[in-house]
PDB file of all heavy atoms in Angstrom:
ATOM      1  N   ARG A  83      85.880 181.040  97.182  1.00 94.00           N
ATOM      2  CA  ARG A  83      87.035 180.156  96.903  1.00 94.00           C
ATOM      3  C   ARG A  83      87.567 180.440  95.569  1.00 94.00           C
ATOM      4  O   ARG A  83      88.828 180.485  95.317  1.00 94.00           O
ATOM      5  CB  ARG A  83      86.415 178.703  96.952  1.00 94.00           C
ATOM      6  CG  ARG A  83      87.544 177.632  96.822  1.00 94.00           C
ATOM      7  CD  ARG A  83      87.055 176.279  97.335  1.00 94.00           C
ATOM      8  NE  ARG A  83      85.810 175.789  96.798  1.00 94.00           N
ATOM      9  CZ  ARG A  83      85.621 175.124  95.681  1.00 94.00           C
ATOM     10  NH1 ARG A  83      86.775 174.823  94.995  1.00 94.00           N
ATOM     11  NH2 ARG A  83      84.509 174.760  95.264  1.00 94.00           N
ATOM     12  N   TRP A  84      86.774 180.712  94.565  1.00 97.00           N
ATOM     13  CA  TRP A  84      87.205 180.948  93.212  1.00 97.00           C
ATOM     14  C   TRP A  84      87.793 182.326  93.077  1.00 97.00           C
ATOM     15  O   TRP A  84      88.782 182.488  92.358  1.00 97.00           O
ATOM     16  CB  TRP A  84      86.023 180.789  92.184  1.00 97.00           C
ATOM     17  CG  TRP A  84      85.868 179.359  91.921  1.00 97.00           C
ATOM     18  CD1 TRP A  84      84.937 178.468  92.640  1.00 97.00           C
ATOM     19  CD2 TRP A  84      86.476 178.533  90.875  1.00 97.00           C
ATOM     20  NE1 TRP A  84      85.083 177.247  92.071  1.00 97.00           N
ATOM     21  CE2 TRP A  84      85.969 177.197  91.071  1.00 97.00           C
ATOM     22  CE3 TRP A  84      87.487 178.792  90.024  1.00 97.00           C
ATOM     23  CZ2 TRP A  84      86.374 176.179  90.281  1.00 97.00           C
ATOM     24  CZ3 TRP A  84      87.866 177.679  89.127  1.00 97.00           C
ATOM     25  CH2 TRP A  84      87.302 176.425  89.302  1.00 97.00           C
ATOM     26  N   LEU A  85      87.307 183.320  93.776  1.00 97.00           N
ATOM     27  CA  LEU A  85      87.778 184.644  93.781  1.00 97.00           C
ATOM     28  C   LEU A  85      89.267 184.648  94.390  1.00 97.00           C
ATOM     29  O   LEU A  85      90.104 185.237  93.834  1.00 97.00           O
ATOM     30  CB  LEU A  85      86.985 185.636  94.460  1.00 97.00           C
ATOM     31  CG  LEU A  85      85.865 186.149  93.632  1.00 97.00           C
ATOM     32  CD1 LEU A  85      84.645 186.868  94.600  1.00 97.00           C
ATOM     33  CD2 LEU A  85      86.302 187.168  92.612  1.00 97.00           C
ATOM     34  N   ARG A  86      89.354 184.001  95.447  1.00 94.00           N
ATOM     35  CA  ARG A  86      90.670 183.887  96.168  1.00 94.00           C
ATOM     36  C   ARG A  86      91.708 183.200  95.213  1.00 94.00           C
ATOM     37  O   ARG A  86      92.839 183.606  95.068  1.00 94.00           O
ATOM     38  CB  ARG A  86      90.596 183.064  97.476  1.00 94.00           C
ATOM     39  CG  ARG A  86      91.878 182.966  98.274  1.00 94.00           C
ATOM     40  CD  ARG A  86      91.655 182.257  99.477  1.00 94.00           C
ATOM     41  NE  ARG A  86      92.936 181.997 100.193  1.00 94.00           N
ATOM     42  CZ  ARG A  86      93.553 182.871 100.974  1.00 94.00           C
ATOM     43  NH1 ARG A  86      92.932 184.001 101.310  1.00 94.00           N
ATOM     44  NH2 ARG A  86      94.672 182.526 101.545  1.00 94.00           N
ATOM     45  N   ALA A  87      91.236 182.146  94.506  1.00 94.00           N
ATOM     46  CA  ALA A  87      92.177 181.401  93.711  1.00 94.00           C
ATOM     47  C   ALA A  87      92.603 182.200  92.453  1.00 94.00           C
ATOM     48  O   ALA A  87      93.503 181.869  91.827  1.00 94.00           O
ATOM     49  CB  ALA A  87      91.411 180.071  93.225  1.00 94.00           C
ATOM     50  N   ARG A  88      91.785 183.302  92.088  1.00 95.00           N
ATOM     51  CA  ARG A  88      92.105 184.069  90.950  1.00 95.00           C
ATOM     52  C   ARG A  88      92.408 185.437  91.435  1.00 95.00           C
ATOM     53  O   ARG A  88      92.295 186.392  90.563  1.00 95.00           O
ATOM     54  CB  ARG A  88      90.919 183.966  90.028  1.00 95.00           C
ATOM     55  CG  ARG A  88      90.588 182.667  89.315  1.00 95.00           C
ATOM     56  CD  ARG A  88      91.870 182.194  88.458  1.00 95.00           C
ATOM     57  NE  ARG A  88      91.578 180.872  87.861  1.00 95.00           N
ATOM     58  CZ  ARG A  88      92.023 179.768  88.488  1.00 95.00           C
ATOM     59  NH1 ARG A  88      92.678 179.765  89.547  1.00 95.00           N
ATOM     60  NH2 ARG A  88      91.823 178.519  87.868  1.00 95.00           N
ATOM     61  N   GLY A  89      93.032 185.584  92.547  1.00 94.00           N
ATOM     62  CA  GLY A  89      93.501 186.915  92.915  1.00 94.00           C
ATOM     63  C   GLY A  89      92.463 187.950  93.088  1.00 94.00           C
ATOM     64  O   GLY A  89      92.785 189.110  92.936  1.00 94.00           O
ATOM     65  N   TRP A  90      91.358 187.570  93.378  1.00 96.00           N
ATOM     66  CA  TRP A  90      90.193 188.512  93.557  1.00 96.00           C
ATOM     67  C   TRP A  90      89.830 189.328  92.259  1.00 96.00           C
ATOM     68  O   TRP A  90      89.361 190.414  92.326  1.00 96.00           O
ATOM     69  CB  TRP A  90      90.401 189.373  94.797  1.00 96.00           C
ATOM     70  CG  TRP A  90      90.283 188.508  96.037  1.00 96.00           C
ATOM     71  CD1 TRP A  90      91.353 188.076  96.764  1.00 96.00           C
ATOM     72  CD2 TRP A  90      89.132 188.174  96.732  1.00 96.00           C
ATOM     73  NE1 TRP A  90      90.917 187.307  97.729  1.00 96.00           N
ATOM     74  CE2 TRP A  90      89.548 187.400  97.827  1.00 96.00           C
ATOM     75  CE3 TRP A  90      87.741 188.387  96.596  1.00 96.00           C
ATOM     76  CZ2 TRP A  90      88.692 186.761  98.693  1.00 96.00           C
ATOM     77  CZ3 TRP A  90      86.826 187.927  97.479  1.00 96.00           C
ATOM     78  CH2 TRP A  90      87.315 187.055  98.607  1.00 96.00           C
TER      79      TRP A  90
END
Side-chain angles (χ1 to χ4, degrees):
R83 187 160 56 85
W84 282 92
L85 279 166
R86 182 178 173 85
R88 295 298 178 263
W90 292 93

